Amino acid sequence: MFTSAILCCLTLGPLAQQEIDPAYRQGYEKIDQKEIYSWIEFLSSDELAGRDTGTAGYNVASKYVASEMEGMGVKPGNKGSFFQPFSMVRRQRLLNEAYLSIKGADGKEERIELKGKVGVVSRRDVRWKERWVFAGKGAGSDSDSRDVFHGLPVKDSIVLVAPGKGEAARWAWGARAAGARRIVVVSDEMARRRIGTRLPQRARYRIEAEWSPAGDDEIVYITSDIADRILKRWDTSLEKMKKSGGGMVLEGAEFELVVELKETIDKTRNVVGLIPGSDPKLRDEVVVIGGHLDHVGEHDGKIFNGADDNASGSSALLAVCRGLMANSRRPRRSTLIVFFGAEERGLHGSRYYVDNPTVPIEKMVCMFNMDMIGRNEERRGRDGKVTEKPEDNVDCLHVIGSKRHSLELDPWIHKVNGPIGFKFEYDEEGVWNRSDQYNFAAKGVPVTFFFAGFHPDYHKATDTIEKINFDKVTRVGRLVYSLVFEVGDRPQRLRNNRL
């Protein structure tokens, strides 16, 4: 709290202006709270079902923002199109359908359902049919002396190990060092942790072009009761085997362990617009403004509307477009507008964009990102008590990354803030890599991420429109509009101190 209070006072530097520059006042005044409300209302409506990657709701949202830009006169930013399509591989481990089949010498088959009792570390589909061996705790020897793996055919088998509590990860690698390639580890803790509690069957996303199933990690965690059920066929148990300290080949049975990996292709897209600059000599350079359009969709029958995350930032992007198109003169440099897809799945839309830019990276003067700009920050301690009240943060805005690449950028932010009146905070650099500006910075582009802060509704179904501070969204839109004009209009581009 002390740090925040100090930083909130550092608002107006020596360059701060108290009046709106007449060169862009006309567009500034066109950034309207009522219009911002209508945009957030639509983007966070139940009809869009949370705007998840690859869904109809996201596609409607992307068409909507493209249509709004087109209606303002913004030009398509990708070879005559507003859309930059890309595909995501959605990989979902079907943990609830996992099973282990054991067929004895008598031909009788036992099927053990593993729902709630299994976890997997592997990029591949688990359909293992090899022989099984039990290797005790799985601890190898640090010397040349014999250990539990001695004499066991570990290289051609599935190796079952039962380490002590807290040692699961360590002894899995002990089995790996002994030559095992497929390992089943008995660990109640790890099996249940790998399932996850928030989403029963999590999907992991990768950009399609870069996905490969390669990788050596093939580890399955099972609970101790499942291990005892397996060993019972050989008239033993985990407790007995641990006391003996030895290992054994589980002979006379055919195993099949199945934990299916379902892969689907989700087609999605970024939305890209371009406002050409007014100076023929400088218009090939661009100031980039962006924010993610997607959210997390629906879970357990509830729609996660994402009014703050990030209908607020997306609407502010449209507001900046409105201001730029309404002003009698454009900035000398062009403005590139990007609504990113798949941010919630790992910043994939922005990473795809910087790897496949519609404007060369070296022509990007800087990038301003807006993500979650519509609420007043509320913090709670571990005991649940409020440590920062939202009513104390009405005028506060986090500024992230503004001093990393260009020492000239942060003073410009303070300059244009004069008539807007934000109290800037610089205490959230920890979220630097959690939004889309990060991928531009990785390419050497000076960036700033504007963020109003966390609140109890973050990534919950309760992130809804009635909690939005529309005045704050309007002010952030005006701040970024002013920056686009100031930075885009200056004769010399921002100095990049990393180059």
Side-chain angles (χ1 to χ4, degrees), residues 148-381:
V148 70
F149 297 108
H150 183 78
L152 293 176
V154 295
K155 290 184 179 180
D156 301 315
S157 305
I158 295 168
V159 179
L160 176 64
V161 296
K165 188 176 181 180
E167 297 177 333
R170 178 183 177 188
W171 295 137
W173 289 108
R176 170 79 70 209
R181 288 295 169 261
R182 291 180 168 176
I183 305 163
V184 176
V185 181
V186 181
S187 170
D188 293 339
E189 176 191 8
M190 293 296 286
R192 294 189 174 114
R193 184 194 304 173
R194 293 293 172 178
I195 291 170
T197 56
R198 186 173 177 192
L199 300 178
Q201 301 199 38
R202 293 191 178 188
R204 300 185 67 187
Y205 285 71
R206 296 290 186 273
I207 296 174
E208 182 182 11
E210 69 183 25
W211 169 248
S212 169
D216 292 329
D217 291 352
E218 289 196 271
I219 301 171
V220 172
Y221 295 96
I222 62 172
T223 54
S224 55
D225 61 313
I226 296 297
D228 273 329
R229 194 166 167 182
I230 294 168
L231 293 173
K232 185 177 179 180
R233 282 178 163 262
W234 286 268
D235 297 322
T236 188
S237 65
L238 280 176
E239 186 177 356
K240 290 178 181 178
M241 292 302 296
K242 285 180 179 179
K243 286 181 179 179
S244 72
M248 63 183 291
V249 178
L250 303 184
E251 295 180 311
E254 297 177 7
F255 290 84
E256 183 179 24
L257 176 61
V258 177
V259 192
E260 186 181 353
L261 184 66
K262 181 182 178 182
E263 294 188 2
T264 55
I265 303 297
D266 286 337
K267 295 187 180 298
T268 190
R269 56 197 179 192
N270 296 320
V271 185
V272 188
L274 181 69
I275 300 175
S278 59
D279 189 333
K281 294 181 179 180
L282 293 178
R283 67 166 57 125
D284 64 332
E285 295 181 352
V286 298
V287 175
V288 185
I289 55 174
H292 73 92
L293 183 61
D294 67 308
H295 194 50
V296 299
E298 298 180 79
H299 302 292
D300 299 325
K302 296 179 180 179
I303 296 173
F304 288 52
N305 300 95
D308 186 34
D309 189 10
N310 186 36
S312 65
S314 296
S315 298
L317 276 180
L318 290 174
V320 176
C321 291
R322 175 68 77 199
L324 290 170
M325 296 308 296
N327 205 62
S328 59
R329 181 177 71 82
R330 310 280 182 271
R332 298 169 72 182
R333 292 176 179 81
S334 298
T335 307
L336 182 72
I337 308 101
V338 191
F339 296 82
F340 301 106
E343 188 268 359
E344 298 286 8
R345 302 302 177 184
L347 313 186
H348 290 301
S350 55
R351 184 148 63 94
Y352 184 85
Y353 182 84
V354 298
D355 287 343
N356 303 272
T358 59
V359 173
I361 295 291
E362 61 271 17
K363 296 295 184 180
M364 297 179 184
V365 175
C366 62
M367 189 271 185
F368 299 113
N369 180 41
M370 292 178 282
D371 190 354
M372 293 178 62
I373 57 168
R375 294 284 294 273
N376 303 324
E377 185 170 37
E378 180 180 349
R379 290 281 192 176
R380 295 177 182 269

Side-chain angles (χ1 to χ4, degrees), residues 64-121:
Y64 176 76
V65 296
S67 176
E68 289 292 299
M69 285 195 291
E70 185 176 34
M72 297 175 195
V74 177
K75 294 185 178 299
N78 185 29
K79 300 176 182 178
S81 173
F82 282 104
F83 302 121
Q84 183 190 46
F86 62 98
S87 297
M88 302 291 297
V89 178
R90 179 156 52 96
R91 306 175 63 246
Q92 188 174 25
R93 184 71 67 180
L94 302 183
L95 297 168
N96 290 346
E97 300 170 19
Y99 67 90
L100 173 64
S101 172
I102 307 175
K103 186 176 181 180
D106 57 3
K108 293 182 179 180
E109 183 175 346
E110 179 184 12
R111 179 182 168 114
I112 304 173
E113 301 296 334
L114 299 178
K115 179 179 178 180
K117 300 175 181 294
V118 65
V120 178
V121 178

Side-chain angles (χ1 to χ4, degrees), residues 407-447:
L407 297 179
E408 296 178 342
L409 189 53
D410 196 65
W412 280 96
I413 296 170
H414 284 273
K415 177 185 176 183
V416 303
N417 182 54
I420 299 169
F422 275 123
K423 298 174 183 178
F424 293 140
E425 296 186 353
Y426 291 84
D427 58 350
E428 279 286 10
E429 289 292 321
V431 300
W432 160 254
N433 63 345
R434 290 175 57 180
S435 195
D436 291 302
Q437 84 293 329
Y438 178 77
N439 286 319
F440 285 80
K443 296 288 186 178
V445 179
V447 303

Side-chain angles (χ1 to χ4, degrees), residues 5-81:
I6 294 295
L7 289 169
C8 267
C9 294
L10 302 178
T11 306
L12 303 180
L15 289 176
Q17 60 188 29
Q18 296 305 314
E19 298 294 330
I20 304 160
D21 193 319
Y24 54 81
R25 177 189 294 273
Q26 183 182 14
Y28 182 100
E29 292 175 347
K30 286 292 184 180
I31 295 177
D32 179 65
Q33 189 173 137
K34 290 182 179 178
E35 194 168 36
I36 287 172
Y37 181 95
S38 69
W39 289 326
I40 294 179
E41 182 179 42
F42 181 81
L43 292 174
S44 64
S45 63
D46 285 351
E47 286 74 17
L48 270 60
R51 310 186 306 280
D52 199 3
T53 297
T55 64
Y58 179 82
N59 291 339
V60 170
S62 64
K63 288 180 182 177
Y64 176 76
V65 296
S67 176
E68 289 292 299
M69 285 195 291
E70 185 176 34
M72 297 175 195
V74 177
K75 294 185 178 299
N78 185 29
K79 300 176 182 178
S81 173

